[in-house]
Amino acid sequence: MSAAIDIRDRGGPAQPLLTVDKLIKHFPIKKGLGGKKAVVRAVDGVDFEILKGETLGIVGESGCGKSTTAKLIMGLIEHDSGQLLFDGEKIGSRALPMRSFRAQTQMVFQDSYSSLNPRMTVEASIAFGPQVHGVPKRQAIERARSLLARVGLEPTRFAARYPHELSGGQRQRVNIARALALEPRLVVLDEAVSALDKSVEAQVLNLLLDLKQDFNLTYLFISHDLNVVRFICDRVAVMYLGQVVEIGPADTVLASPSHPYTAALLSSMPSLDPDNRTEVAPLAGDPPNPIDPPSGCRFHPRCSLMEPVCPANVPPLDGVGELHRVACLARQPGSGHSLAPAQQVAA
């Protein structure tokens, strides 16, 4: 695949590659000794779009629903409700069956070792996907060797090795090569560099940027490291307790966040400057229980801007700037919050 126009592009460059609309996934559980039925609201109405050729980052605390959202997109688990569109077509429909979608969308997982079959060589792991999708064995092996070279692993040295014979960084390069073997359009990277040491992480991040350019890729990049997100992402979505609370250009969101939770995440980042040390905890308390989330704004029990209007009203994800949306009553005109901007009156 080259950086030229992709013949699979049905809607042109203006149409989002992936649209996630009101996506919901609740996991049923039994609560307490009596076995009372309840649900964990892992993903509870997630909305965002990924534009063609961009890298969208998803950040948030552990348990906010980042990885579950990725698995729902990939069809690894079934969603309860909501809609997933890929290039304007509903995923799993007659126009875009799941097999066709998975040929265009691949995923790189966090654990580089458990992602690979320990009984298969590196070459066989990369060539397996194309063979399943009808590529002749010899052509699939040639593609695997070419991709190994592209991700910085000499085929003559690494093709016949097994996963246990590689380092963590080398295994993740193999996983990236395997994801590219089907010539996808969208690659979902779920904490793909978080298990690597910093020097290897930098190499893999630079590799991902080069591959994006060379193969005309679109990335969904899930991470808890805001420095990595700032480096690689064009836009960023912030999730809290199963919902997107802020989304916008990475430079805007990470430089001047509009949501108090985003600001708290940024203030929790360690600094090498001794004059800029964090002396006060940016957030108080633990994340609320996803089985019984707070009413209204789910962040209000931990928010310094909380007012009586916050637990009484659910804030919509509204625009506060160009391509910048936030779910906070303190940022929305006419919400009733004392810090809300004045509502403009039509002339």
Side-chain angles (χ1 to χ4, degrees):
M1 186 190 303
S2 65
I5 296 175
D6 196 317
I7 60 172
R8 296 170 294 181
D9 190 348
R10 291 182 292 273
Q15 178 171 281
L17 183 60
L18 180 72
T19 301
V20 178
D21 183 28
K22 298 179 177 60
L23 192 64
I24 291 177
K25 179 61 181 180
H26 295 168
F27 293 99
I29 61 169
K30 289 186 178 180
K31 184 179 179 183
L33 295 176
K36 181 181 177 182
K37 291 184 178 180
V39 294
V40 176
R41 301 172 181 270
V43 175
D44 205 21
V46 167
D47 293 285
F48 62 82
E49 294 178 340
I50 305 178
L51 307 179
K52 292 172 183 175
E54 78 165 349
T55 300
L56 175 68
I58 299 183
V59 300
E61 292 173 291
S62 296
C64 70
K66 305 186 300 293
S67 293
T68 303
T69 299
K71 292 175 182 177
L72 291 171
I73 291 171
M74 294 300 301
L76 299 179
I77 54 179
E78 291 288 331
H79 58 275
D80 297 332
S81 63
Q83 194 170 45
L84 292 167
L85 300 178
F86 186 81
D87 207 0
E89 299 288 355
K90 184 178 179 182
I91 297 173
S93 65
R94 179 177 295 181
L96 184 63
M98 187 58 70
R99 182 182 177 89
S100 176
F101 168 70
R102 284 181 173 156
Q104 300 182 67
T105 306
Q106 290 291 294
M107 188 168 180
V108 178
F109 297 90
Q110 177 178 0
D111 191 334
S112 62
Y113 186 75
S114 64
S115 300
L116 295 170
N117 188 332
R119 295 177 179 270
M120 296 177 69
T121 64
V122 165
E123 178 184 81
S125 291
I126 298 172
F128 182 78
Q131 288 181 256
V132 169
H133 284 264
V135 177
K137 182 177 180 179
R138 177 173 294 187
Q139 184 179 340
I141 290 176
E142 289 176 356
R143 186 182 297 181
R145 287 177 169 265
S146 174
L147 286 168
L148 274 175
R150 185 61 191 82
V151 298
L153 300 176
E154 177 58 45
T156 56
R157 291 181 55 203
F158 291 95
R161 292 191 186 183
Y162 289 87
H164 71 273
E165 298 177 293
L166 305 177
S167 68
Q170 289 168 344
R171 283 196 295 267
Q172 201 63 300
R173 288 171 183 265
V174 171
N175 282 311
I176 293 169
R178 185 180 60 175
L180 298 179
L182 285 172
E183 300 181 337
R185 302 172 65 192
L186 173 66
V187 178
V188 179
L189 300 143
D190 185 9
E191 300 278 11
V193 298
S194 63
L196 308 176
D197 64 57
K198 288 301 175 184
S199 61
V200 177
E201 177 186 276
Q203 295 171 12
V204 173
L205 288 173
N206 287 324
L207 172 64
L208 289 171
L209 289 175
D210 291 341
L211 292 173
K212 179 187 174 185
Q213 182 71 28
D214 294 345
F215 290 87
N216 197 25
L217 298 171
T218 300
Y219 287 154
L220 174 61
F221 190 88
I222 297 170
S223 179
H224 65 277
D225 190 331
L226 295 180
N227 283 320
V228 171
V229 170
R230 178 183 280 117
F231 174 73
I232 199 170
C233 295
D234 302 304
R235 289 193 303 134
V236 60
V238 182
M239 287 189 66
Y240 183 78
L241 212 64
Q243 297 179 337
V244 175
V245 296
E246 185 168 6
I247 184 169
D251 292 342
T252 301
V253 172
L254 300 179
S256 55
S258 293
H259 199 282
Y261 175 63
T262 310
L265 284 180
L266 289 166
S267 64
S268 68
M269 293 171 60
S271 174
L272 296 176
D273 184 357
D275 296 326
N276 192 29
R277 290 175 176 167
T278 301
E279 298 181 357
V280 180
L283 280 180
D286 296 323
N289 191 341
I291 300 173
D292 187 22
S295 61
C297 173
R298 293 186 175 184
F299 186 61
H300 82 259
R302 308 170 73 191
C303 184
S304 60
L305 304 181
M306 197 274 287
E307 293 185 359
V309 69
C310 299
N313 297 278
V314 178
L317 191 63
D318 279 351
V320 293
E322 187 176 359
L323 300 176
H324 188 187
R325 295 184 294 159
V326 63
C328 179
L329 297 174
R331 312 300 182 210
Q332 295 169 358
S335 66
H337 196 285
S338 64
L339 296 178
Q343 194 166 15
Q344 295 181 351
V345 179

